[in-house]
Amino acid sequence: MQRMGMVIGVAPGMVEEYKRLHAAVWPEILELISRCNIRNYTIFLREPDNLLFGTWEYHGTDLEADMAKMAADPKNQEWWSFTIPCQKPLKTRKEGEWWAMMEEVFHHD
């Protein structure tokens, strides 16, 4: 299992829309997340800074393939058409990232 952490901003005026969308995530998206070997997925919001912090556990053997499967899914592309306008990527993210991935520096069970 690999723990993942990521951060992104929320676009101005889009906090309530982002909350509304995530209060009722489509069942097909939840199933896709599970099929892509992601568990224990949580998104936190930091206001008034309007930062989202996501954390999840990857339980698969090919992260790149699972992320490609997720990105290619038509229902997920539809979901992203609603969520992406709510997000404001960090200027410091690596090339190819939407959410900026984070380094784990501490963990305690």
Side-chain angles (χ1 to χ4, degrees):
M1 183 273 293
Q2 184 179 3
R3 282 182 295 279
M4 310 297 282
M6 57 190 185
V7 64
I8 197 166
V10 181
M14 298 300 286
V15 169
E16 291 309 315
E17 177 64 6
Y18 196 83
K19 286 181 179 181
R20 185 190 69 76
L21 288 166
H22 286 82
V25 175
W26 303 343
E28 300 92 340
I29 300 305
L30 298 175
E31 292 166 10
L32 177 63
I33 289 169
S34 295
R35 282 197 319 271
C36 290
N37 298 301
I38 294 171
R39 299 183 195 152
N40 199 24
Y41 187 6
T42 305
I43 299 174
F44 296 90
L45 170 64
R46 167 70 181 179
E47 291 185 276
D49 306 299
N50 293 344
L51 290 174
L52 297 170
F53 167 67
T55 181
W56 43 281
E57 296 172 351
Y58 180 67
H59 289 262
T61 57
D62 191 340
L63 178 62
E64 187 175 323
D66 281 329
M67 295 302 98
K69 177 171 51 174
M70 183 173 288
D73 185 274
K75 197 66 175 179
N76 196 43
Q77 291 175 9
E78 182 182 357
W79 173 253
W80 283 351
S81 76
F82 293 100
T83 61
I84 285 175
C86 297
Q87 299 169 346
K88 182 179 177 186
L90 301 183
K91 292 178 183 177
T92 56
R93 72 190 187 279
K94 292 180 182 172
E95 186 173 332
E97 289 184 333
W98 185 250
W99 286 69
M101 298 308 292
M102 302 172 75
E103 175 186 2
E104 180 178 330
V105 296
F106 177 78
H107 175 79
H108 176 73
D109 279 326

